[in-house]
Amino acid sequence: MDKLPSHHCEQPRQARPRKQTKAFRGLLAAVLLAVGPLAYLTAVTVDFGGKAPSQVVPINAAEIVSKCEALNLTPGPPSNFHERTESDRYEAGTKPVLIKNATIWTGRSEGLEVVKGDLFLVKGIIKAVGKVSDELVKRHKDVTVVDAGGAWVTPGIVDMHSHLGVDSAPALRGADDTNSLKGLAMPWLRSLDGLNTHDDAYRLSISGGVTTSNILPGSADAIGGQAFTIKLRQTKERSSSSLVLEPPFSVNGTENYSGRPRWRQMKHACGENPMRVYSGTRMDTQWAFRKAYNTARELKEKQDQFCAKATAGQWKNLGSFPEDLQWEALVDVLRGRVKVHNHCYEAVDLDNMVRLTNEFKFKIAAFHHAHETYLVPDLLKKAYGGAPAIALFATNGRYKREAYRGSEFAPRILSDLGLKVGMKSDHPVLNSRFLLNEAQQAHYYGLPKNLALASVISTPATILGYDHRIGFVKPGYDADIVIWDSHPLQIGATPKQVFIDGIPQLENPFFTDKPDFFQHAPEVPNFDEEAKDAIKYDGLPPLETHKSKKDVVIFTNVTSLHIRVGSHIKEVFDVSSAGSSLKGQSVVVKDGEVQCFSGQDECLASFVNLPSVEWVSLEGGSISPALVSYGSFLGLHEIDQEKSTNDGKINDLLKKENPSILGEGALIRAADGLEFATRDALLAYRAGATVGITAPESYGFLGGLSVAFNTGSPHKLAKGAVLQDVTAIHVTVDSGESSISTQIAALRNLLYGHGEGEIKKAFHDVVEGRIPLVIKVQSADIMASLIQLKEEVESHSGKAAQFTFSGANEAHLLAKEIGQAGVGVILTPARPFPGSWRSRRILPGPPLSENNAASVLIGHNVTVAIGVEEQWQSRNLRFDVGWTAIEANGGISKGETIALATTNVEKLLGLRTPNTDLVAVERTSLYDFGGKVVGVISPREGAVNLI
């Protein structure tokens, strides 16, 4: 509003404005209606017949008063929202859908309500739940009927922390809109302004059941800007704005003062990220927060003073409503109209933010990442307006100092204390397609199943302020629905169909009917003592195992036993197999070696009466080969972002400062930089991955020589600590400072013997077939060139060289050729993501493709293994194996499944000293959410290590 000219605002000196009565305001409104056609005037004089001095008011006074009254309205839906008969997101032509015979998790009653029945979707909303009358259905034409066959149905998954569309896949410079680096505090920025509608991850995330995502700016800045919550389906308009769930009025070009405003979202970040980006300290970041909020507070106070006068009719010299486009969003935070999402990890930063909320009187909707929140619950409750919700990873941690004390038990601990817990992806940090897996893991470590499901559906919907329309199956809510092929908390749970606004999103989805036990939530192990220790030891509980002090350990009530015989996996017995007449068996172990089992004659008789026997019941569990973890810097890194805790990265020999690929011929060995007893290594050991194979840290062409080591050893000189000093030589061929053709030319020269010293010898060993060449590569085009290079070298030498492709997102495109060339493949990660241009042509697996890459490659006689990308993922390798087998839809046998992370890894990486450890698991197997590792049977150490 323009400031009124002073001569229009003058009043007699003796007159004092009096508080307006309702009668006055009614008269004022009538006058303004009467003079509406004179809107070009700046003010109107109202004469009250000599009873009071004439009042000079702005022509838009009613609008000003309405705006002032609206300032402190609480955001939310109109009171009649659930009376709507059509969604504001309805696409004309969308057919009604009747889902019959469903098991419906509604999200209601703290996630405890399950309804068996039908679900009717009409014009983008849920019309009826449970019993759907024939009469209601007959009122609508062209109804699509889907028989769920008793399948689980839930609301769509809600990802409350995502960078989908701003940190796009594939990653390209032209679509990098995650962070602005122009200042510490920039509440005026908006993620919507950078939202890429062509991100490949939209389709992938929908295929995982995600229907809604909160798109946050990154965490480089203290105040990174405004976030926008979007639906993931493409609209007919194909625009970024049309994806927004409930656009704030200021975004869609209107100023609506007649109803409640809509919730806005904003990103804050404290701790290491702003410190690192701006080369500052926590003190600098906190000052940036305080300075920004003080600016917003001063503007708010000016607005409140203005409105106090306007609503009292005191128009003299009032001027324009105080506004500032840069700070209006932060003013709205102070007015309680914005959901603040605060990236904040550790106690010192959480304390800073709690103090900030009390200093400036604003609420935080959720602390995100929040790795130490479970250690300071009383602090959280001191935040202004009550404890924020907590948005967590399940097991992702230790990648920087502030994440070092994170715990897998945090969701259950916080939930037990009454705090709201949501799981999030931070996509693409974690692929949001598999956000459900975060809930599955939280459940595995103790979060009750109702709250685990809620943590990715109804809880984030509530935290975001959209629980009036998403996150629940209720009449009048948005028709965002997922039909699952199994209980959503079962490993590998996959959508059969996903509806967004009542529109089916999966064309010709692929799925298989799973066994009955998959239709129930897994019975998870008891981790009560471990959760207590996490708190007792301030986030760093002891992880070391202890050796049994007995000469003999007898494992009882064992359902299955698989052992290694050379490079093969042998099934000794499996009580669960069809037709088996065996009952739970006892397995006798002496000096770390399996001696016999109770199905064999006189097995137990020779041992049960010995004076030194320890009995361990597996309660129906199993014993199987231990796993081998490859692909991360396990054993070389303790905290990724703390250089002093790591071995460090090696030079790229193809860079300008290293012009010769020959140099002095020195070849870096990972064995020389090994660090033992890192927390990720010990966690891997406790999860059955007892051997790690790790190459030196390199982001260039030549990566050096990998090493195989025992993840549970205390130091390098301990018995069995290092299995093999050198396993393979590693190179990377991918986009970088040197061209692809330059990298392949360098590799050709080395394979033809043009190196020096250790480098020349190592590549000669490759040509002779004595050591594998492991090539980190994603692109099928580059793989084709490498296959040709292999054939060329073998033709020249007359020997068979061993090539292994690692990464290999696009290997399925050349499955036949890779198999014929005798090249092995380590799929890293096990479930692909199109993170780069050269890795974008993925085979996603069900429901988007019938098969996954592993089954396709195995079908062409390729030796396949799976790897991990980061150290923390090694503990989850066991679940990746099981998940890969489930996705293969029967295309991988049990033996082939176990080999994915055991014998095949050893073969492809040149481990001649095999990992002979066996893993004892309580209750079920190593590969699902029912089992808990309780011991490692180690022939190398001649002992049983109990956990």
Side-chain angles (χ1 to χ4, degrees), residues 124-140:
I125 63 174
I126 298 170
K127 196 72 173 176
V129 182
K131 293 182 179 179
V132 179
S133 69
D134 292 339
E135 182 183 353
L136 175 61
V137 176
K138 288 176 181 177
R139 292 181 203 158
H140 300 83

Side-chain angles (χ1 to χ4, degrees), residues 653 658-667 702 750 754-757 759:
L653 297 183
N658 299 293
S660 171
I661 64 166
L662 307 180
E664 299 298 324
L667 197 54
L702 185 58
L750 291 170
H754 296 303
E756 294 181 2
I759 294 178

Side-chain angles (χ1 to χ4, degrees), residues 864-891:
V864 177
I866 61 174
V868 300
E869 294 181 297
E870 298 181 55
Q871 297 84 262
W872 63 269
Q873 295 171 326
S874 296
R875 71 182 311 179
N876 296 328
L877 180 59
R878 52 183 289 209
F879 301 131
D880 290 340
V881 171
W883 198 340
T884 300
I886 291 168
E887 277 193 335
N889 289 331

